[in-house]
Amino acid sequence: MENNKDNNDIQELINRYDQFLNSDGDSYLDADEFAELAEYYSAELGDDNMAQEIIDQALEVFPDALCLLAFKARFCLLYGADTDKAEQYIERAQDKSDIEYHYVKAEIILTRDGGHAADDYLVGYYADVIQHESQSEIDDYFFDVANLFFDYEEYTLCMEWLQRSFRKEGSDYLYLYARTLFRMGVADESEKIFNQLLNDYPFEVDLWQDIALAQFVQDKIPEAITSLDYALAIEPDNEDAIYNKELLMLMLGSDQSTSGQTVQLSH
């Protein structure tokens, strides 16, 4: 969850970016900080135009920085699936030994040739490089690859990489595992894991909403409404939770079930 330190850190970056814009070209941010700021504008504020403006300005200062070129490449994949342009960006990176370069290459292959082709690339990179690293780095790789496949809705491949992991009890692992189970249609098992995670994170609004979704697809409408009530008790202005509760209240009032319906909750 975002805290005051996070807010202060991002505000400091914004202030330093403003100083950069008002200077004679001296950089007050390094490449990673530019990328972090662009990610904030894109992911948190939904302002992709501003994010692209920040990255383009940063590339004038750091033309071969991997983090900036990776951002541009992924933008090309996300908006238009332009694999050729994405490849042009990532190949400009100076450090092609960095693991981030290979993640982007896998995303390009996935977009162009499909999930199994990307899986072959990532298995090959594991055999050539990652398997010789520490156990911790190997596990990080398994988890990161699983996340990559989840983001691209390749849930079977995501699960295969999760099951390679040696640390299956961490909250990050369990959360991704539960979300993947849900996407694979195993809502009852995903609900159990979400509830398990609530023991440690009872004030996580996303968890309450995930539980509500899992309950919803099992026709447990009253239970889903109760879960959304908990989410709204924590964050009363959460638009998704408000919309979802209103929808479920209407369904409950009309005595409808989700069986055979195409109703979808927002999340």
Side-chain angles (χ1 to χ4, degrees), residues 23-266:
S23 71
D24 294 326
D26 294 333
S27 176
Y28 289 83
L29 292 82
D30 62 27
D32 288 328
E33 290 171 328
F34 274 114
E36 181 183 348
L37 187 59
E39 180 65 23
Y40 169 75
Y41 274 97
S42 178
E44 299 298 327
L45 302 183
D47 191 343
D48 288 326
N49 290 332
M50 184 63 182
Q52 288 299 301
E53 183 177 327
I54 291 169
I55 294 296
D56 289 340
Q57 290 167 336
L59 282 169
E60 294 180 9
V61 184
F62 307 103
D64 56 7
L66 176 59
C67 60
L68 304 176
L69 294 167
F71 192 102
K72 291 292 289 187
R74 288 187 170 113
F75 194 86
C76 293
L77 297 177
L78 184 61
Y79 298 98
D82 191 338
T83 56
D84 290 340
K85 194 168 184 180
E87 194 135 36
Q88 289 172 14
Y89 275 118
I90 202 60
E91 290 303 329
R92 285 169 49 186
Q94 184 177 40
D95 186 4
K96 293 181 175 59
S97 66
D98 192 292
I99 195 170
E100 188 67 11
Y101 168 84
H102 294 281
Y103 287 146
V104 176
K105 289 287 286 187
E107 291 178 57
I108 292 170
I109 293 169
L110 192 157
T111 303
R112 184 181 59 217
D113 302 318
H116 289 291
D119 186 58
D120 288 343
Y121 179 88
L122 291 162
V123 168
Y125 181 63
Y126 169 78
D128 292 340
V129 178
I130 300 299
Q131 70 169 335
H132 306 296
E133 304 294 339
S134 68
Q135 188 63 66
S136 175
E137 290 173 306
I138 291 172
D139 246 13
D140 286 344
Y141 182 73
F142 290 159
F143 184 77
D144 288 344
V145 171
N147 252 316
L148 186 157
F149 281 123
F150 183 90
D151 288 343
Y152 281 84
E153 301 181 358
E154 294 280 353
Y155 302 123
T156 300
L157 289 170
C158 172
M159 185 62 76
E160 288 177 6
W161 283 89
L162 279 174
Q163 290 174 340
R164 291 183 170 103
S165 176
F166 294 96
R167 54 175 189 237
K168 294 183 168 63
E169 301 303 321
S171 58
D172 287 345
Y173 175 92
L174 288 173
Y175 187 55
L176 181 58
Y177 186 75
R179 293 176 73 205
T180 306
L181 283 174
F182 177 79
R183 299 307 193 281
M184 296 177 74
V186 194
D188 55 341
E189 289 301 317
S190 69
E191 182 188 356
K192 291 177 185 177
I193 298 172
F194 288 138
N195 273 305
Q196 177 185 338
L197 288 166
L198 274 177
N199 293 328
D200 293 323
Y201 304 98
F203 300 107
E204 283 287 351
V205 172
D206 284 347
L207 265 179
W208 285 110
Q209 296 213 81
D210 285 323
I211 290 171
L213 285 168
Q215 292 165 333
F216 165 71
V217 300
Q218 297 175 79
D219 283 337
K220 295 159 68 171
I221 307 301
E223 292 91 335
I225 291 172
T226 299
S227 296
L228 291 170
D229 282 337
Y230 279 110
L232 288 167
I234 299 165
E235 193 175 304
D237 297 328
N238 188 288
E239 293 182 359
D240 285 339
I242 292 170
Y243 171 83
N244 289 338
K245 182 180 177 181
E246 290 176 350
L247 179 61
L248 292 184
M249 291 293 289
L250 288 172
M251 292 181 64
L252 190 64
S254 60
D255 195 28
Q256 296 179 25
S257 79
T258 60
S259 299
Q261 295 189 36
T262 58
V263 174
Q264 290 188 344
L265 297 189
S266 175

